[in-house]
Amino acid sequence: MLKIYNTLTGKKEPFEPITPKMVRMYVCGVTVYDYCHIGHARSALVFDVLRRYLEYSGYAVTFVKNFTDVDDKIIKRAHEQGVSCDAVTAKYIQAYHEDMGKLGIRAATEEPKATEHIADIIQLTEQLVTKGLAYVVDGDVYFEVSKYPEYGRLSKRRLEDLQAGARVDVDERKHHAMDFALWKSSKPGEPTWESPWGPGRPGWHIECSAMSIRHLGETFDIHGGGMDLIFPHHENEIAQSCGSTGKEFARYWVHNGFVQINKEKMSKSLGNFFTIREIFEKSEWPEAVMGEILRYFLLSTHYHGPLDFSDQALKEGKSALNGFYDLFNRLNESGQGTALGEQQLRARLAEAKQAFEVAMGDDLNTPVALAAFQTLRSEVNKLLSQGLSSEARKIARDEFQALGDTFGLFHKDLDSQWPFAMNSSASVTQNIINQSWSDQASYQGQSQTAKPFSAAVIASIDKQIEERTEARKRKDFSKADEIKKRLTEQGIIIEDKPDGTTRWKR
RNA sequence: GGCGCCGUACCCAAGUGGUAAGGGAGCAGUCUGCAAAACUGCGAUGCAGCGGUUCGAACCCGCUCGGCGCCUCCA
């Protein structure tokens, strides 16, 4: 049973879908006018994990995540760059898929675009005009918030309070300062579509109402997004959707907290703004490894709270994962064990699975779920030191992958290429910040250790290990240490096993 | 002015009424030719501060201090 915090009620509630065993969820994606930053990554990952956990729990999930591809910021960006809006949106949609793909975030069931739903948007707007909830002024259509008594329910605000805070120039033609545009007449050079009110384009919030209703129906289960969308975006979506259909819109509203830098919200003016691609580019770690580290980091705090991005946070994620992959490497080796050992292992695995499910069922408590993984790691290590058969090891490794899959962690593909030694040498954030100061000149060559070793290099290392093993057998420890020193300088870590053989890792 | 969040050990971070999870770092030990890894032990009588409610409070209430967010585009 999943309990989830619902912004609408301000409470943690048992999750019950409208249709048993089926979940329909909509998450606000991005407005595609720039590259995604680490905050977008958090939001995308949180809802990816929610979706995966629902699927893990046996639900069939229809997951819709939109692209807003018509908007003031896009138009501005297109003008700045002297290209079409289509060129801007196409570029950043592709970038979105690339960046989120590196983070292991699955594509949604449907990823609709606003521009593909203009007819739906016009229809929705017409309904609101007909019902008297919207009015037309000079080719613009505004939603009239004072005609919708429930306005402010989601964000717990009263219209009077909002009015007091309005300090931006108010359009004189609006009946109320908080009235917002459903449809805007377009100026020359802007994207435009024919409508009952003349040529124009959609307003800021209507596209999500149109797309969610089109793909999920008038009432659906979960609507998600970042905290900052609660007001005005989601508040307005509710007003438009409920106002138009007369029905309940989304039943559970789920919002993730911000990624911060030094306890402050990221912003370009503070220079503390990190895009996903910068982080991958400036990292010394291979892409798949960096993706794993970022996922571990992003899930190490409960989704509802703030999360500070820093090099230290990344290092802690890396250290934690080192422990898991160290264990996985040992699980991948063959070994002998007892029936009792295997029995105990199965018990520990069952406990971990249970702990994982309890944690996730409690409002997606990913930090506690990770703690359950850590506990399991420790328990398996103990059993391993007592001896586990090859079969038992495989069972354990498979279970780690099965449980980790909800988080996109512990993929077997990474076992053989996990870089243990590269722990702390470089600063990702400094690399990014320094780049803007010094044009990236000083950070070349840093990724040499990130590339997988070639077969020739591996053969060479194996040969040296063999020489060292021979030397150790002869008790020629000075020779053995000399070889070890040489390997250490290449970033190779040596581990001598009790049976006299040696494993190595980087 | 209005709405809201946060303050738990050196660091990160769970816990929202029943006697402080987990990780990282550190220290000590076992193992090891040395190491690495693993394992074992140590580590908050205490949860920003002060009052209150309660048999019992990190959790509830009040006040104070400190940090932050939203009310305008924003994940």
Side-chain angles (χ1 to χ4, degrees):
Chain A
M1 170 55 85
L2 172 65
K3 279 184 295 175
I4 189 105
Y5 182 85
N6 189 350
T7 306
L8 198 57
T9 58
K11 284 188 284 223
K12 231 191 265 187
E13 301 176 330
F15 175 71
E16 287 170 31
I18 296 163
T19 310
K21 290 301 170 195
M22 285 184 60
V23 178
R24 286 172 289 160
M25 61 186 277
Y26 183 92
V27 171
C28 287
V30 293
T31 300
V32 279
Y33 74 103
D34 205 347
Y35 292 116
C36 288
H37 53 67
I38 184 72
H40 294 110
R42 184 181 192 195
S43 185
L45 182 61
V46 162
F47 292 104
D48 185 53
V49 167
L50 173 58
R51 179 241 201 128
R52 291 188 198 221
Y53 185 66
L54 288 167
E55 288 176 349
Y56 171 95
S57 305
Y59 293 102
V61 181
T62 304
F63 177 32
V64 178
K65 182 162 64 178
N66 73 289
F67 287 113
T68 295
D69 62 345
V70 52
D71 168 89
D72 291 349
K73 292 187 294 295
I74 295 168
I75 294 167
K76 183 163 175 266
R77 180 59 55 99
H79 284 332
E80 283 168 6
Q81 300 185 347
V83 297
S84 68
C85 286
D86 286 349
V88 171
T89 59
K91 175 182 175 184
Y92 293 113
I93 286 172
Q94 192 191 333
Y96 182 93
H97 286 130
E98 288 169 5
D99 294 345
M100 296 306 174
K102 286 179 196 168
L103 279 163
I105 287 159
R106 289 165 55 195
T109 318
E110 301 279 347
E111 300 189 337
K113 301 183 184 79
T115 54
E116 293 167 349
H117 293 76
I118 300 297
D120 292 326
I121 290 167
I122 288 172
Q123 193 190 355
L124 207 52
T125 306
E126 276 187 306
Q127 280 167 5
L128 290 167
V129 173
T130 304
K131 290 197 171 189
L133 288 166
Y135 53 93
V136 183
V137 189
D138 306 333
D140 293 345
V141 184
Y142 290 99
F143 186 93
E144 188 156 19
V145 292
S146 56
K147 293 279 175 66
Y148 185 74
E150 298 260 282
Y151 196 77
R153 186 179 161 210
L154 180 72
S155 56
K156 316 279 189 286
R157 292 159 207 261
R158 297 177 304 165
L159 273 180
E160 308 87 81
D161 297 338
L162 291 169
Q163 212 169 2
R167 53 181 150 82
V168 177
D169 52 318
V170 176
D171 190 331
E172 301 274 312
R173 304 171 309 160
K174 293 203 286 189
H175 296 2
H176 186 288
M178 295 315 296
D179 289 350
F180 55 92
L182 300 169
W183 188 262
K184 305 170 82 168
S185 57
S186 50
K187 301 189 188 77
E190 293 182 353
T192 183
W193 290 266
E194 282 306 318
S195 82
W197 317 284
R201 57 191 173 93
W204 296 297
H205 315 290
I206 191 74
E207 83 282 8
C208 281
S209 291
M211 286 185 272
S212 54
I213 290 171
R214 163 62 60 191
H215 293 277
L216 295 172
E218 291 176 339
T219 305
F220 54 94
D221 299 299
I222 298 171
H223 194 128
M227 289 280 191
D228 49 350
L229 296 182
I230 294 171
F231 190 90
H233 187 61
H234 287 163
E235 194 71 61
N236 291 354
E237 271 189 61
I238 291 172
Q240 293 159 350
S241 304
C242 296
S244 165
T245 67
K247 294 177 186 157
E248 188 181 16
F249 186 42
R251 309 223 297 181
Y252 298 88
W253 289 83
V254 181
H255 295 97
N256 65 277
F258 286 122
V259 175
Q260 308 179 321
I261 308 294
N262 295 325
K263 311 282 185 196
E264 288 181 317
K265 183 176 173 176
M266 293 193 300
S267 80
K268 283 177 179 168
S269 59
L270 285 169
N272 61 357
F273 196 88
F274 300 99
T275 65
I276 297 168
R277 53 185 52 205
E278 278 177 320
I279 292 167
F280 275 96
E281 280 167 13
K282 297 303 164 190
S283 147
E284 62 180 325
W285 292 305
E287 188 174 295
V289 172
M290 192 62 207
E292 187 104 341
I293 294 168
L294 280 172
R295 283 194 297 279
Y296 195 98
F297 157 69
L298 289 168
L299 296 172
S300 65
T301 295
H302 185 85
Y303 78 86
H304 210 258
L307 171 60
D308 239 52
F309 180 70
S310 65
D311 283 307
Q312 190 187 323
L314 292 180
K315 279 174 196 164
E316 288 188 7
K318 175 63 166 54
S319 298
L321 288 164
N322 273 356
F324 286 104
Y325 281 93
D326 237 318
L327 170 61
F328 298 160
N329 278 176
R330 272 171 274 130
L331 289 175
N332 287 331
E333 292 170 352
S334 56
Q336 257 91 59
T338 62
L340 179 63
E342 186 169 327
Q343 190 189 328
Q344 289 175 328
L345 173 70
R346 287 181 188 280
R348 296 294 91 76
L349 293 175
E351 285 164 11
K353 188 176 161 72
Q354 166 97 16
F356 168 78
E357 288 170 5
V358 168
M360 291 299 283
D362 185 13
D363 197 23
L364 239 52
N365 198 329
T366 55
V368 171
L370 289 176
F373 293 157
Q374 292 286 3
T375 303
L376 179 63
R377 179 181 68 85
S378 174
E379 295 296 335
V380 174
N381 265 324
K382 282 176 216 170
L383 292 172
L384 198 54
S385 66
Q386 293 161 24
L388 280 179
S389 69
S390 302
E391 296 73 41
R393 291 168 189 235
K394 185 174 183 310
I395 290 167
R397 182 65 190 93
D398 286 347
E399 186 64 18
F400 268 107
Q401 173 154 312
L403 291 175
D405 192 53
T406 299
F407 292 178
L409 292 174
F410 308 149
H411 245 272
K412 282 181 181 171
D413 298 350
L414 272 175
D415 285 5
S416 59
Q417 49 169 310
W418 188 262
F420 296 91
M422 294 186 289
N423 235 342
S424 59
S425 57
S427 155
V428 172
T429 58
Q430 278 305 314
N431 284 2
I432 293 168
I433 290 164
N434 287 353
Q435 179 184 28
S436 60
W437 293 341
S438 63
D439 275 344
Q440 78 191 15
S442 54
Y443 290 99
Q444 315 233 317
Q446 202 158 51
S447 61
Q448 59 187 17
T449 48
K451 297 189 184 77
F453 286 150
S454 67
V457 171
I458 290 171
S460 159
I461 292 166
D462 285 341
K463 186 158 176 293
Q464 292 176 75
I465 295 282
E466 212 173 295
E467 283 173 25
R468 177 169 168 277
T469 301
E470 291 304 316
R472 289 176 69 220
K473 277 183 188 159
R474 296 193 310 268
K475 305 266 188 215
D476 183 357
F477 294 123
S478 62
K479 170 81 173 170
D481 287 345
E482 185 193 313
I483 293 169
K484 182 160 81 173
K485 184 158 176 274
R486 205 160 63 212
L487 289 169
T488 302
E489 282 162 2
Q490 294 173 55
I492 308 297
I493 298 167
I494 300 287
E495 288 181 30
D496 295 328
K497 298 199 277 184
D499 64 5
T501 61
T502 298
R503 74 163 76 85
W504 63 269
K505 63 190 183 186
R506 44 201 292 236

